[in-house]
């Protein structure tokens, strides 16, 4: 059996290079030779032991681009084509899948979380989870997935040109939401507790208003997006939503949402959860990378090779305030 190299989180705090069996061709699936992997906050949490409902050892990695080793049966993808991987493996049969929302499938499995992911040379995925990425380079293609999460949240909010949007949390997901809110024509404010993170974010969003937590808040907004990963921040965010506005929760954390009902009703707030992304969001992101409206070079702040990732990922897990997105070259 042919072997391939892989990066495995053996247990919390233990990240190693190893070898695993190379995937075999299978009907209805494509073998993808991985080119680049974006490191997500989830990967850092897996390494740190903070990801619930996860079994070790785990090959992490769900922000993936690579070349298809097989042609797809429907002719969309030829052997050798660059593809972006949609890492959300949906069942196709539950209520959410039937109504066109596989992003919140009742039995969803996410590559690199519920099942082994793409920090390896090759993976096998269902044909429908590979999207052609013509016109992008492999590095940019590896950033499509996290941007699609922000784009999906923005689409849920139905922003109008000239509206105001506040994004709380200037990590990659928050940045994705801020970028696509601006693309929809909104006047964007980005808020974070880290001055260094806001400075980095300003490179990708030169026209956004940057607001440091602790400074005086700047009013109410047509749409507020929470990307903090903090239940306290999520509970406090209602205060920033204008009357008739929308509150979109991109963060998923343990804890209970608690809003004062009179204030919630008085403002007639639309409360929206936003989970993962749909094919339309991936396509929307790729179109805006191609047309230059998303400056991916400003987002990819760190890069490492496959061998050096064993050292670099643990270091970055301890100090994420100096990076936006780190990429592994496979």
């Amino acid at each position: 059996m042919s072997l391939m190299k892989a990066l495995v989180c053996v247990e919390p705090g233990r990240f190693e290079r190893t070898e695993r069996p190379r995937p075999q061709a299978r009907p209805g699936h494509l073998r993808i030779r991985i080119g680049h992997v974006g490191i997500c906050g989830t990967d850092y949490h897996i390494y740190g032991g903070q990801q619930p409902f996860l079994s070790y050892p785990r090959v992490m990695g769900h922000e993936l681009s690579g070349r298809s080793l097989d042609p797809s049966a429907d002719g969309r993808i030829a052997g050798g084509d660059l593809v972006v991987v949609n890492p959300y493996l949906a069942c196709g049969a539950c209520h959410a899948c039937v109504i066109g929302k596989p992003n919140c499938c009742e039995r969803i499995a996410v590559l690199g979380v519920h099942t082994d992911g793409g920090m390896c040379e090759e993976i096998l995925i269902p044909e429908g989870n590979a999207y052609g990425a013509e016109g992008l380079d492999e590095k940019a293609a590896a950033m499509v997935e996290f941007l699609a999460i922000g784009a999906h949240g923005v689409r849920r909010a139905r922003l109008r040109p000239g509206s105001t949007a506040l994004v709380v949390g200037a990590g990659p997901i928050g940045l994705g939401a801020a970028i696509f809110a601006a693309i929809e024509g909104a006047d964007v404010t980005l808020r974070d507790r880290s001055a260094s993170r806001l400075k980095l974010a300003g490179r990708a969003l030169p026209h956004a208003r940057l607001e440091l937590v602790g400074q005086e808040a700047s009013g109410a907004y047509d749409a507020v997006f929470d990307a903090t990963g903090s239940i306290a921040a999520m509970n406090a965010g209602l205060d920033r939503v204008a009357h008739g506005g929308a509150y979109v929760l991109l963060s998923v954390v343990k804890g209970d949402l608690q809003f004062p009902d009179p204030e919630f009703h008085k403002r007639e707030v639309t409360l929206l959860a936003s989970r993962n992304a749909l094919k339309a969001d991936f396509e929307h992101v790729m179109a805006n990378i191609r047309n230059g409206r998303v400056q991916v070079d400003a987002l990819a702040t760190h890069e490492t090779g496959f061998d050096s990732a064993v050292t670099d990922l643990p270091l970055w897990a301890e100090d994420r305030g100096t990076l936006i997105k780190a990429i592994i070259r496979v």
Side-chain angles (χ1 to χ4, degrees), residues 40 42-43 46 51-62 87 109-118:
C40 175
T42 299
D43 300 319
I46 292 171
Q51 185 69 20
F53 312 118
L54 181 126
S55 60
Y56 297 87
R58 177 63 70 221
V59 177
M60 299 184 294
H62 61 271
V110 180
L111 291 174
V113 182
H114 307 101
T115 187
D116 283 340

Side-chain angles (χ1 to χ4, degrees), residues 261-329:
D261 183 66
E263 197 65 38
F264 182 72
H265 273 81
K266 181 175 71 176
R267 302 184 189 211
E268 198 181 50
V269 171
T270 299
L271 179 63
L272 295 165
S274 183
R275 187 180 184 193
N276 299 328
L278 294 167
K279 182 179 180 181
D281 303 306
F282 282 79
E283 298 287 359
H284 184 46
V285 170
M286 288 192 279
N288 280 281
I289 293 174
R290 292 185 190 106
N291 67 25
R293 299 186 77 180
V294 178
Q295 301 299 316
V296 289
D297 289 343
L299 299 172
T301 54
H302 293 64
E303 189 170 342
T304 189
F306 200 83
D307 293 332
S308 52
V310 172
T311 301
D312 288 337
L313 187 148
L315 292 175
W316 294 333
E318 294 298 321
D319 182 17
R320 286 187 277 157
T322 59
L323 63 82
I324 295 177
K325 180 56 60 177
I327 306 287
I328 300 173
R329 298 182 310 276

Side-chain angles (χ1 to χ4, degrees), residues 36-38 62-65 82-88 131-133 136-152 172-173 176 180 276-290 294 296 299 325 327:
H36 289 71
V37 182
H62 61 271
E63 299 178 6
L64 310 171
S65 70
L82 176 64
V83 299
V84 168
V85 173
N86 178 337
Y88 322 129
Y131 305 148
L136 275 62
D137 62 41
E138 286 190 1
K139 185 175 175 181
M143 288 187 274
V144 170
E145 190 270 345
F146 86 82
L147 289 167
I149 293 174
H152 182 72
I173 301 302
F180 282 91
N276 299 328
L278 294 167
K279 182 179 180 181
D281 303 306
F282 282 79
E283 298 287 359
H284 184 46
V285 170
M286 288 192 279
N288 280 281
I289 293 174
R290 292 185 190 106
V294 178
V296 289
L299 299 172
K325 180 56 60 177
I327 306 287

